[in-house]
Amino acid sequence: MLNSLISNGQPKTSDRSESVVPWWSFTKTVLAATALSLVRDGLIGLDDAIPDQRFTLRQLLRHEAGLPDYGELAEYHAAVSNSESAGSTDEMMQRLDGARLRYSPGTGWRYSNVGYMLVGRLIERLTDLTLDDAVSQRVLNPLGLLNVRFAKTRADLQTTHPGSTSNYDPAWVYHGLLIGPLSQAAVFLDRLLSGDLLPKSLLQEMQAARGLGGAIPGRPWVNAGYGLGVMQGSIDGGFTLCGHTGCGPGSVIAVYRIDDGDTSACCAAYEAHAGEGAVESFVAGELVQVLRRETQGL
């Protein structure tokens, strides 16, 4: 399993962690950080309604807006399995009836890739930049990440680590699919949550998670929740992890951080042909080991 570990801000990793991989839904954490930079700069408030919509930015980032997900469409899964090219956004939204809210905003929770597609559009609208430029200028470059980019074509994915899907059209990820070194995913999360890109108040808002119930079978979470673009959950031992898992055809990435006040650690792991639970459990184990070593002075 490819992995990258950071302990108290210092990398503890191997050259293999420089392999370029698809970040899948960890891209959502990057989009959320970009959106929160707009809040920081006074371009929108967390509880302001999105223009021409009934839901707020907070509800959109926390999957509470009432929006559906195109993963519900059987034809989407069939098309991906057949390595077909992605349809247009308008076509997807029409098939999904994507503008129809499934519940009143704020009253429920439903994971929605459509919601993060709208986050991307909002970023472009408020910055007057392309999503690529806005993400680079507002979060990637300030955090020192210069080798991360959006995949646009199948050829872009062919440059990623062997075992990654190479015949998948990244346009199927309607909110955008970042690719970059696995080590940079760990660096991004560690610097985001420990640095000053966003004020502490916004970082606290980001990690204020809506509880989603108890344990998830086959995965390490005792209790799981979702914040503003981050998954947050507790594992055995009472430890709390914050980050995101991403899945795509043929591979899984999990990037999480732990902080007990004295010690912090961040771990990113990537594996082809693995389940979410296996990769998340590996990351959780690595992070707990770091805390225990530091506690014991090893």
Side-chain angles (χ1 to χ4, degrees), residues 30-36 38 116 118-131 134-135 138:
V30 181
L31 293 178
T34 307
L36 290 174
L38 306 180
Y116 272 76
L118 297 183
V119 170
R121 288 182 176 178
L122 178 69
I123 290 168
E124 291 182 323
R125 180 173 181 173
L126 294 182
T127 63
D128 199 26
L129 296 169
T130 65
L131 186 61
V135 167
R138 287 187 159 268

Side-chain angles (χ1 to χ4, degrees), residues 147-164:
N147 298 312
V148 180
R149 61 190 176 91
F150 283 97
K152 301 294 186 180
T153 67
R154 298 175 197 259
D156 290 332
L157 287 181
Q158 290 171 357
T159 67
T160 61
H161 184 264
S164 302

Side-chain angles (χ1 to χ4, degrees), residues 235 241 279-290 292-293:
I235 58 175
L241 310 185
V279 183
E280 290 171 343
S281 294
F282 175 86
V283 168
E286 290 291 298
L287 294 176
V288 171
Q289 281 189 22
V290 170
R292 287 176 174 165
R293 283 198 299 267

Side-chain angles (χ1 to χ4, degrees), residues 142-216:
L143 292 177
L145 278 69
L146 305 179
N147 298 312
V148 180
R149 61 190 176 91
F150 283 97
K152 301 294 186 180
T153 67
R154 298 175 197 259
D156 290 332
L157 287 181
Q158 290 171 357
T159 67
T160 61
H161 184 264
S164 302
T165 179
S166 61
N167 200 32
Y168 176 74
D169 181 2
W172 281 116
V173 186
Y174 288 95
H175 60 61
L177 170 57
L178 287 171
I179 58 175
L182 181 64
S183 63
Q184 295 294 281
V187 167
F188 172 82
L189 186 64
D190 192 60
R191 291 180 179 174
L192 173 67
L193 296 183
S194 65
D196 57 7
L197 178 74
L198 298 175
K200 289 183 179 179
S201 59
L202 279 181
L203 289 176
Q204 290 171 349
E205 296 277 15
M206 190 177 199
Q207 296 172 79
R210 179 191 181 108
L212 302 178
I216 301 177

Side-chain angles (χ1 to χ4, degrees), residues 8-297:
N8 289 328
Q10 299 301 311
K12 311 285 185 181
T13 189
S14 66
D15 291 341
R16 294 182 71 228
S17 71
E18 296 307 309
S19 297
V20 174
V21 301
W23 286 15
W24 300 126
S25 277
F26 185 61
T27 301
K28 290 183 175 68
T29 304
V30 181
L31 293 178
T34 307
L36 290 174
S37 78
L38 306 180
V39 177
R40 176 200 65 197
D41 294 344
L43 298 178
I44 192 171
L46 264 179
D47 296 307
D48 290 349
I50 302 298
D52 304 320
Q53 300 289 353
R54 293 171 48 199
F55 41 78
T56 67
L57 177 58
R58 185 193 302 275
Q59 290 164 345
L60 197 58
L61 292 174
R62 203 155 63 179
H63 298 294
E64 297 175 326
L67 292 162
D69 183 61
Y70 50 81
E72 302 165 19
L73 296 173
E75 54 263 45
Y76 160 77
H77 295 284
V80 171
S81 296
N82 293 329
S83 299
E84 297 177 16
S85 295
S88 69
T89 300
D90 289 343
E91 181 182 14
M92 178 274 292
M93 290 292 281
Q94 183 177 13
R95 288 182 177 180
L96 184 62
D97 190 14
R100 179 176 63 84
L101 300 185
R102 275 35 175 191
Y103 57 85
S104 180
T107 64
W109 190 89
R110 185 184 189 130
Y111 191 86
S112 176
N113 285 292
V114 169
Y116 272 76
M117 179 188 75
L118 297 183
V119 170
R121 288 182 176 178
L122 178 69
I123 290 168
E124 291 182 323
R125 180 173 181 173
L126 294 182
T127 63
D128 199 26
L129 296 169
T130 65
L131 186 61
D132 307 52
D133 287 344
V135 167
S136 293
Q137 292 178 24
R138 287 187 159 268
V139 296
L140 296 180
N141 293 347
L143 292 177
L145 278 69
L146 305 179
N147 298 312
V148 180
R149 61 190 176 91
F150 283 97
K152 301 294 186 180
T153 67
R154 298 175 197 259
D156 290 332
L157 287 181
Q158 290 171 357
T159 67
T160 61
H161 184 264
S164 302
T165 179
S166 61
N167 200 32
Y168 176 74
D169 181 2
W172 281 116
V173 186
Y174 288 95
H175 60 61
L177 170 57
L178 287 171
I179 58 175
L182 181 64
S183 63
Q184 295 294 281
V187 167
F188 172 82
L189 186 64
D190 192 60
R191 291 180 179 174
L192 173 67
L193 296 183
S194 65
D196 57 7
L197 178 74
L198 298 175
K200 289 183 179 179
S201 59
L202 279 181
L203 289 176
Q204 290 171 349
E205 296 277 15
M206 190 177 199
Q207 296 172 79
R210 179 191 181 108
L212 302 178
I216 301 177
R219 297 171 70 175
W221 312 113
V222 175
N223 284 292
Y226 203 95
L228 306 181
V230 290
M231 300 166 65
Q232 186 151 300
S234 60
I235 58 175
D236 284 339
F239 301 105
T240 298
L241 310 185
C242 180
H244 215 294
T245 301
C247 307
S251 61
V252 173
I253 184 172
V255 190
Y256 287 89
R257 187 174 185 272
I258 194 169
D259 189 339
D260 71 351
D262 296 317
T263 300
S264 68
C266 188
C267 182
Y270 174 89
E271 181 75 316
H273 312 300
E276 295 167 292
V279 183
E280 290 171 343
S281 294
F282 175 86
V283 168
E286 290 291 298
L287 294 176
V288 171
Q289 281 189 22
V290 170
L291 287 193
R292 287 176 174 165
R293 283 198 299 267
E294 294 293 332
T295 300
Q296 296 166 6

